[in-house]
Amino acid sequence: MRSRQWCLRAMATITLNDGTQIPSIAYGTGTALFGRDCANAVRLAIDTGFTHLDGAQAYGNEDSLGAGIQAAGKPRSELYIVTKLKGGLGAAQVKPSLVKSLQQLGVDYVDLFLIHTPKPHPQDSTLLELWKAVEAVHAEGLAKSIGVSNFTVDDLKAILPGAKIIPSVNQIEVHPYVWKAAEPIVKYCRENGNIAIASYGGLTPLNRVPGGPVDNVLPPIVQRLEEAFGKPVTANQALFKWTCQKAAIVVTTSSKEARIKEYLESVRVPDLTADEIQAIDDAGAKLHKRFFMKHVFGE
């Protein structure tokens, strides 16, 4: 029942373990926009209805993300801006790197600051020391919420015993072809501080693994959803509902207005049934395909 309750709230926001609110669908500036000027795409996303903007130092486009935010002209208070600490930086570099990010983004704070990867990190900084440095920028008001990304259960166990602040978010790859591997992380996060899961790569079965087992189970699900919704539903939207009902914040991207609208509309599509979720789970379990951060997961 928990996942359904989470999904029903997707029209608005999710409450994180620190009491702050996070919009449940985010526009990401990685993957297709990695290393590219994303200003026009970001402005389009904001103009179309996105308020949650997911960036990262490693994406190499924080300056154009900031330009897109400025061009859209939406009040800062109505936006939720995320950035992530670049891999390979030590504890002493956390604050300087975030200050630089804020300058590029053109804001005084980010709503959420994540450690992008637990590996590699310098020999002179343990993962806990890195987390304590992130706690320090939170204390200074440079980030309203703090969290991690691509953390395994072991990585979380390395910081939680010594943490003053429990991470609010763990952003990981979530789709049916990695669900068997992701589920223990999701469960651990729920049971140890109610750490929210943010997902990326959610459309992998359709975009990166065409013809895979999940393809066979989606058509009847889409048909049933269309009948319940009274309007067209896409396979993309069905997969987003699956992700939502796994209790995950969805991070996605596109530079096409029609696709952006489709993604935003997905939160209004009716819920999947338990049988439909199980059918997707079973199909996904037939094939393991991870496309991001393989080194973190030993693949």
Side-chain angles (χ1 to χ4, degrees):
M1 190 64 183
R2 178 187 299 187
S3 62
R4 177 174 170 81
Q5 290 172 340
W6 193 296
C7 193
L8 288 174
R9 299 172 61 189
M11 288 296 292
T13 59
I14 289 166
T15 301
L16 297 179
N17 60 11
D18 62 3
T20 62
Q21 303 286 314
I22 183 171
S24 62
I25 185 168
Y27 185 80
T29 57
T31 56
L33 296 174
F34 189 97
R36 294 174 50 195
D37 185 326
C38 63
N40 290 335
V42 168
R43 179 177 182 176
L44 175 62
I46 295 172
D47 289 345
T48 306
F50 272 96
T51 58
H52 182 171
L53 306 168
D54 185 87
Q57 296 169 356
Y59 297 164
N61 55 12
E62 287 181 305
D63 54 345
S64 59
L65 169 55
I69 291 169
Q70 183 176 8
K74 200 171 188 69
R76 174 67 182 93
S77 60
E78 296 180 18
L79 295 174
Y80 192 97
I81 301 172
V82 181
T83 196
K84 309 178 193 76
L85 178 73
K86 189 174 182 179
L89 299 184
Q93 297 164 293
V94 169
K95 181 178 177 179
S97 74
L98 179 54
V99 169
K100 181 179 179 181
S101 291
L102 295 177
Q103 292 171 344
Q104 291 181 316
L105 292 168
V107 297
D108 296 327
Y109 65 92
V110 288
D111 296 275
L112 179 63
F113 184 46
L114 307 176
I115 297 176
H116 203 158
T117 172
K119 303 172 184 177
H121 55 85
Q123 295 296 321
D124 61 349
S125 294
T126 66
L127 208 49
L128 178 57
E129 288 169 340
L130 200 62
W131 179 248
K132 287 186 175 297
V134 171
E135 289 179 331
V137 296
H138 172 268
E140 291 188 45
L142 301 181
K144 285 191 173 182
S145 297
I146 53 177
V148 298
S149 183
N150 302 300
F151 270 48
T152 66
V153 170
D154 286 343
D155 297 322
L156 291 165
K157 287 180 177 179
I159 66 170
L160 290 185
K164 292 181 179 178
I165 300 173
I166 302 299
S168 293
V169 170
N170 185 14
Q171 185 179 119
I172 59 175
E173 184 176 352
V174 176
H175 53 77
Y177 294 138
V178 293
W179 179 244
K180 283 181 68 175
E183 189 173 17
I185 301 173
V186 174
K187 182 179 179 182
Y188 185 85
C189 286
R190 285 178 181 165
E191 295 176 351
N192 292 270
N194 195 26
I195 301 167
I197 296 296
S199 71
Y200 63 85
L203 298 180
T204 286
L206 298 174
N207 296 342
R208 299 181 181 90
V209 194
V214 171
D215 286 17
N216 297 326
V217 302
L218 287 178
I221 294 174
V222 169
Q223 181 178 355
R224 202 276 303 171
L225 290 172
E226 287 183 335
E227 293 171 357
F229 198 33
K231 57 196 301 187
V233 173
T234 67
N236 287 338
Q237 290 173 326
L239 271 183
F240 277 145
K241 293 303 294 189
W242 177 89
T243 305
C244 174
Q245 289 176 253
K246 291 298 186 182
I249 298 157
V250 174
V251 181
T252 189
T253 193
S254 178
S255 58
K256 299 178 181 178
E257 183 175 2
R259 190 58 57 84
I260 292 171
K261 289 179 177 179
E262 173 192 353
Y263 294 165
L264 287 169
E265 178 76 356
S266 66
V267 298
R268 299 184 59 243
V269 171
D271 284 354
L272 305 184
T273 66
D275 287 343
E276 288 168 342
I277 292 173
Q278 190 62 54
I280 294 174
D281 287 358
D282 292 344
K286 295 177 181 179
L287 181 66
H288 177 78
K289 284 285 186 179
R290 185 183 300 281
F291 283 84
F292 304 96
M293 294 291 180
K294 292 183 178 182
H295 65 286
V296 171
F297 296 88
E299 298 180 13

